[in-house]
Amino acid sequence: MYSLTVCDHIMIAHSFQGAEFGPAQRLHGATYAVEAEFRAPRLDHLNLLIDIGLAKVELRRILDTVDYNNLDVLPQLAGQNTTTEFMAAHLHALLATALREGVMGEGGRQVTSLKVLLRESPVAWAAFEGSV
Amino acid sequence: MYSLTVCDHIMIAHSFQGAEFGPAQRLHGATYAVEAEFRAPRLDHLNLLIDIGLAKVELRRILDTVDYNNLDVLPQLAGQNTTTEFMAAHLHALLATALREGVMGEGGRQVTSLKVLLRESPVAWAAFEGSV
Amino acid sequence: MYSLTVCDHIMIAHSFQGAEFGPAQRLHGATYAVEAEFRAPRLDHLNLLIDIGLAKVELRRILDTVDYNNLDVLPQLAGQNTTTEFMAAHLHALLATALREGVMGEGGRQVTSLKVLLRESPVAWAAFEGSV
Amino acid sequence: MYSLTVCDHIMIAHSFQGAEFGPAQRLHGATYAVEAEFRAPRLDHLNLLIDIGLAKVELRRILDTVDYNNLDVLPQLAGQNTTTEFMAAHLHALLATALREGVMGEGGRQVTSLKVLLRESPVAWAAFEGSV
Amino acid sequence: MYSLTVCDHIMIAHSFQGAEFGPAQRLHGATYAVEAEFRAPRLDHLNLLIDIGLAKVELRRILDTVDYNNLDVLPQLAGQNTTTEFMAAHLHALLATALREGVMGEGGRQVTSLKVLLRESPVAWAAFEGSV
Amino acid sequence: MYSLTVCDHIMIAHSFQGAEFGPAQRLHGATYAVEAEFRAPRLDHLNLLIDIGLAKVELRRILDTVDYNNLDVLPQLAGQNTTTEFMAAHLHALLATALREGVMGEGGRQVTSLKVLLRESPVAWAAFEGSV
């Protein structure tokens, strides 16, 4: 199985609902370093898993829907605790849709699974992986 | 599949038995940067895979059983070559037990698999992963 | 010249005033990985530059004044654009005061200069360094 | 499942064929930081997955077949676009053969799968994993 | 003294002249992760050392003069061994000129010194620093 | 001013004398990732600050005097608390001597200052820098 990973990052504000979160119930923020890992069983005729340029552009377009925002007030995230693990799944869904729609070219259509990993600090990160 | 990883580190002394180990047969030591990756198929009602605070505390409690020690003289490791891969499995067993006993809350009981990775230097690391 | 560096991190929300900031004028946030580098021309009788335990505790106490907060509403930062470079100097001043007051022991009083570096993303960081 | 990873790096020149590659059609180069992850279900009597010394030597020997070279003119890569994902599979095949031939000792024969990951920049990497 | 650092990277081919270079006399290549550190004694009225957006754009513009190229055939580098330390100084000169010409705004004119660091591999890097 | 840095690592055991060290009074150990930064005001006729191959070999030779050892029993360190900051200065002295003796070639004689940095964990490191 082949994999190709591209990285980017976002800077967001948010707060959490639930006493379990302690001080994280206050409005605070995070830099999420985002890694999108595309997996496919074979390469195309150019020896590419996916067009890395298209992948970076599409990842950026998707990240722009939340970057430099307060997640607490975004309609698409209403009522959700935007934990790192939740955001990994949220971004995974958006990227998976883009792959299925062919936004990342024919190579993107060959991607069978996808992992989105978000590093929130030097000592904690979360991911969601699943088929496309 | 979701995953959440928390990190910590330990500083230990040890030596190895067996000519295969060359200079590592002498008493030496290592900083192990430890990554514990918890995996679960779903999040709880707060969008948490596991309570990250509880996970860090429990990881720390388990690491304290070996941290700042000479592994050669610890009873629980008697007769073992404490290679990085062995120590990954040793810590995995302790964390898996804690998960099953509910020490990491209800979220911890939903964890289906666990990976413990130990970085021994910038150029070598080992891990053990398995179901909980 | 000797130096000793300890690290920690904070997760904050904030926004910037000024058209130059573009999308960063919106409420967003950051994880700042914080590195505090203490410099001294000699070590004490124990071969320590500074008691690393005391240094970590004091750095943590100082970071707690801003961690998990919206910097826009903190009284001590009122009217300031809390850029990374500004925050480095802000934390530098707090740590330098602690050093002068002896909170970090006699070793801390021997520290002649201090550098505080904040990493805001994988591709940008800022620092302030100066005498104590 | 146990895993053990060793790292090294190579510095190569190459160019790509195909308009999709844009400026990368020009002769350019890359540092590939190479990670070889060996996986096995159990350890040997010394608590080793594989002899890490032998693994490093063999990885180095294999990397020397391409290190400090222009990949465009190497006979074994003739007619191939030497993308990062392709090179991961190329090195995987060489390492898997070495494992099967016993070059990495009896431990190496117990390795059931292998992942070779190449980091081409701070924001992109590719890998190939498969059974041995 | 304040500092602000922004990062980018380039992928180049080159070869070296001189028996001292051993296998590096062959055409090979490198990914250079580039860090540009701007230093100034004070911040502007917005608490900025330099407009980070302008700095990234200008760094990118300068890197484009060598990125995805064979340095051996670039006129501006003719007759030079393009070692990492030499390339750090070469890029330093281009960035320093841009600062003096005001390309990075008024903030850029306040920059008193500049350090350009190039990481060529996980175990080696070089830098040039000097006044602007 | 130019600088060139090469990296390596050592794995040592040791213990500390003094109640201030708490649990670190027990025999434990550390992986020290070692960075040696050589500085010089100019490059040689090959555009080299120092022969990087010679520098790596000499750094390795010096590290071998302590690598895979219990520092508590090494004669050259008798009676010393081998703190990270002390070890940085100890290795600095050995490297500086090698430079002055010409072991690293004519380039090494042009080195005017040297910094040796030891990373003991992901959150702490120490260094010693001084003229050669």
Side-chain angles (χ1 to χ4, degrees):
Chain A
M1 179 64 70
Y2 291 90
S3 64
L4 178 74
T5 305
V6 294
C7 307
D8 206 328
H9 69 273
I10 53 176
M11 303 180 84
I12 58 87
H14 63 166
S15 61
F16 295 126
Q17 302 293 317
E20 293 85 343
F21 289 98
Q25 294 175 88
R26 298 197 297 256
L27 183 63
H28 64 288
T31 304
Y32 288 130
V34 181
E35 301 175 9
E37 178 183 312
F38 304 91
R39 296 182 190 149
R42 67 187 63 80
L43 305 181
D44 70 12
H45 68 291
L46 294 169
N47 282 346
L48 288 172
L49 190 156
I50 193 174
D51 185 314
I52 199 172
L54 288 180
K56 283 180 178 173
V57 166
E58 187 60 18
L59 176 59
R60 186 65 254 166
R61 191 190 63 75
I62 284 169
L63 294 180
D64 281 341
T65 63
V66 291
D67 198 11
Y68 286 117
N69 273 286
N70 176 3
L71 304 186
D72 294 354
V73 301
L74 291 184
Q76 71 270 37
L77 299 169
Q80 298 284 359
N81 269 324
T82 52
T83 60
T84 311
E85 47 271 51
F86 172 82
M87 289 305 294
H90 175 74
L91 296 171
H92 182 282
L94 295 175
L95 265 174
T97 298
L99 285 163
R100 285 191 305 265
E101 290 177 348
V103 179
M104 280 179 263
E106 281 312 300
R109 290 189 198 272
Q110 308 309 316
V111 172
T112 52
S113 73
L114 172 67
K115 180 177 182 177
V116 175
L117 186 149
L118 273 65
R119 299 185 187 271
E120 70 173 60
S121 80
V123 294
W125 54 88
F128 182 80
E129 58 183 299
S131 55
V132 174
Chain B
M1 180 64 71
Y2 291 90
S3 65
L4 178 74
T5 305
V6 294
C7 307
D8 206 327
H9 69 274
I10 53 176
M11 303 180 83
I12 56 88
H14 62 167
S15 61
F16 295 125
Q17 302 292 317
E20 293 85 342
F21 290 99
Q25 295 176 88
R26 298 197 298 256
L27 183 63
H28 64 288
T31 304
Y32 288 130
V34 181
E35 301 175 7
E37 178 183 310
F38 304 91
R39 296 182 191 148
R42 66 188 63 80
L43 305 181
D44 71 11
H45 67 290
L46 294 168
N47 281 346
L48 288 171
L49 189 156
I50 193 174
D51 184 314
I52 198 172
L54 288 179
K56 284 180 178 173
V57 166
E58 187 61 17
L59 176 59
R60 187 64 254 168
R61 190 188 65 74
I62 285 169
L63 294 181
D64 281 340
T65 64
V66 292
D67 198 9
Y68 286 119
N69 273 286
N70 176 2
L71 304 185
D72 294 355
V73 300
L74 290 185
Q76 70 270 36
L77 300 170
Q80 299 284 0
N81 270 324
T82 53
T83 60
T84 311
E85 46 271 51
F86 173 82
M87 288 304 295
H90 175 74
L91 296 171
H92 183 280
L94 295 175
L95 265 174
T97 298
L99 285 163
R100 286 192 304 266
E101 290 179 346
V103 178
M104 278 179 264
E106 282 312 300
R109 289 189 199 273
Q110 309 309 315
V111 172
T112 51
S113 74
L114 172 67
K115 180 178 182 176
V116 176
L117 186 148
L118 272 66
R119 299 185 186 272
E120 70 172 61
S121 81
V123 294
W125 53 89
F128 182 79
E129 58 182 299
S131 57
V132 175
Chain C
M1 179 65 70
Y2 291 90
S3 65
L4 178 74
T5 305
V6 295
C7 307
D8 205 328
H9 69 272
I10 53 176
M11 303 181 83
I12 58 87
H14 61 167
S15 62
F16 295 126
Q17 303 292 317
E20 292 86 343
F21 290 98
Q25 295 175 89
R26 299 197 298 256
L27 183 63
H28 64 289
T31 305
Y32 288 129
V34 181
E35 302 174 8
E37 177 183 310
F38 303 91
R39 295 182 191 150
R42 65 187 64 81
L43 306 181
D44 70 12
H45 67 291
L46 295 168
N47 281 344
L48 288 171
L49 190 155
I50 193 174
D51 184 314
I52 199 172
L54 288 179
K56 283 181 178 171
V57 166
E58 187 60 20
L59 176 59
R60 186 65 256 167
R61 190 189 65 74
I62 284 170
L63 295 180
D64 280 341
T65 63
V66 292
D67 197 11
Y68 286 119
N69 273 287
N70 176 1
L71 303 186
D72 294 354
V73 301
L74 290 184
Q76 71 269 36
L77 300 169
Q80 298 285 0
N81 269 325
T82 53
T83 59
T84 310
E85 48 270 51
F86 173 82
M87 289 304 294
H90 176 74
L91 295 170
H92 183 282
L94 295 175
L95 265 174
T97 298
L99 285 164
R100 285 192 304 265
E101 290 178 346
V103 177
M104 278 179 262
E106 282 311 302
R109 290 189 198 273
Q110 308 309 315
V111 172
T112 51
S113 73
L114 172 67
K115 181 177 181 176
V116 175
L117 186 149
L118 272 66
R119 298 185 187 272
E120 70 172 62
S121 81
V123 295
W125 53 89
F128 183 80
E129 59 183 299
S131 56
V132 175
Chain D
M1 181 63 72
Y2 291 89
S3 64
L4 179 74
T5 305
V6 294
C7 307
D8 207 328
H9 70 273
I10 52 176
M11 303 180 83
I12 57 88
H14 61 167
S15 62
F16 295 125
Q17 302 292 318
E20 293 85 343
F21 290 98
Q25 294 175 88
R26 299 196 296 256
L27 183 63
H28 63 289
T31 304
Y32 289 130
V34 181
E35 301 173 8
E37 177 183 310
F38 304 91
R39 295 180 192 150
R42 65 188 64 81
L43 305 181
D44 70 13
H45 67 291
L46 295 169
N47 282 344
L48 288 172
L49 190 156
I50 194 174
D51 184 314
I52 198 172
L54 288 179
K56 284 181 178 173
V57 167
E58 187 61 18
L59 176 59
R60 185 66 255 166
R61 190 189 65 76
I62 284 170
L63 295 180
D64 280 341
T65 63
V66 291
D67 198 10
Y68 286 118
N69 273 286
N70 176 3
L71 304 185
D72 294 355
V73 300
L74 290 185
Q76 71 268 38
L77 300 170
Q80 298 285 359
N81 270 323
T82 53
T83 60
T84 311
E85 46 270 51
F86 172 83
M87 289 305 294
H90 175 74
L91 296 171
H92 183 281
L94 295 175
L95 265 174
T97 298
L99 285 164
R100 284 192 306 266
E101 291 177 347
V103 178
M104 280 179 263
E106 282 310 302
R109 289 190 198 273
Q110 309 309 314
V111 172
T112 51
S113 73
L114 173 67
K115 180 177 182 177
V116 175
L117 186 148
L118 273 65
R119 299 184 187 272
E120 70 173 59
S121 81
V123 295
W125 53 89
F128 182 79
E129 59 182 297
S131 55
V132 174
Chain E
M1 180 65 71
Y2 291 90
S3 64
L4 178 73
T5 305
V6 295
C7 307
D8 206 327
H9 69 272
I10 53 176
M11 303 180 83
I12 57 88
H14 62 167
S15 62
F16 295 125
Q17 302 293 317
E20 293 86 341
F21 289 99
Q25 294 175 89
R26 300 197 297 256
L27 183 63
H28 64 287
T31 304
Y32 288 131
V34 181
E35 302 174 7
E37 178 183 310
F38 304 91
R39 296 182 190 147
R42 65 187 65 81
L43 306 181
D44 70 11
H45 68 290
L46 294 169
N47 281 344
L48 288 172
L49 190 156
I50 193 174
D51 184 313
I52 199 171
L54 289 179
K56 284 180 177 171
V57 166
E58 186 61 18
L59 175 59
R60 186 66 255 165
R61 191 189 64 75
I62 284 170
L63 295 180
D64 281 341
T65 62
V66 291
D67 198 11
Y68 286 118
N69 273 286
N70 176 2
L71 304 186
D72 294 355
V73 301
L74 291 185
Q76 72 269 36
L77 300 170
Q80 298 286 359
N81 268 324
T82 52
T83 60
T84 311
E85 47 270 50
F86 173 82
M87 288 305 293
H90 175 75
L91 296 170
H92 182 282
L94 295 175
L95 266 174
T97 299
L99 285 163
R100 284 192 304 265
E101 289 178 348
V103 179
M104 280 179 262
E106 282 310 301
R109 290 191 198 272
Q110 309 309 315
V111 172
T112 51
S113 74
L114 172 67
K115 180 177 182 177
V116 175
L117 186 149
L118 272 66
R119 299 185 186 271
E120 71 173 61
S121 82
V123 294
W125 54 89
F128 183 79
E129 59 183 296
S131 55
V132 175
Chain F
M1 179 65 72
Y2 291 90
S3 65
L4 179 74
T5 304
V6 294
C7 306
D8 205 326
H9 69 273
I10 53 175
M11 303 180 84
I12 57 88
H14 62 166
S15 61
F16 295 126
Q17 303 293 317
E20 292 85 343
F21 289 99
Q25 294 176 87
R26 299 196 298 255
L27 183 63
H28 63 288
T31 304
Y32 288 130
V34 181
E35 302 174 8
E37 178 183 311
F38 304 90
R39 296 181 191 149
R42 66 188 61 80
L43 305 180
D44 70 11
H45 67 291
L46 295 168
N47 280 346
L48 289 171
L49 189 154
I50 194 174
D51 184 313
I52 199 170
L54 288 180
K56 284 180 178 173
V57 167
E58 187 60 19
L59 175 59
R60 185 65 255 166
R61 191 189 64 75
I62 284 170
L63 294 180
D64 281 341
T65 63
V66 291
D67 198 10
Y68 286 119
N69 273 286
N70 175 3
L71 304 186
D72 294 354
V73 301
L74 291 184
Q76 71 271 36
L77 300 169
Q80 297 285 1
N81 270 323
T82 53
T83 59
T84 311
E85 47 270 51
F86 173 82
M87 289 305 294
H90 175 73
L91 296 170
H92 183 281
L94 295 174
L95 266 173
T97 298
L99 285 163
R100 284 192 305 264
E101 290 178 346
V103 179
M104 280 178 262
E106 282 311 300
R109 290 189 199 273
Q110 308 309 315
V111 172
T112 51
S113 73
L114 172 67
K115 180 178 182 177
V116 175
L117 186 149
L118 272 66
R119 298 185 186 271
E120 70 172 61
S121 82
V123 295
W125 54 87
F128 183 79
E129 59 183 299
S131 56
V132 174

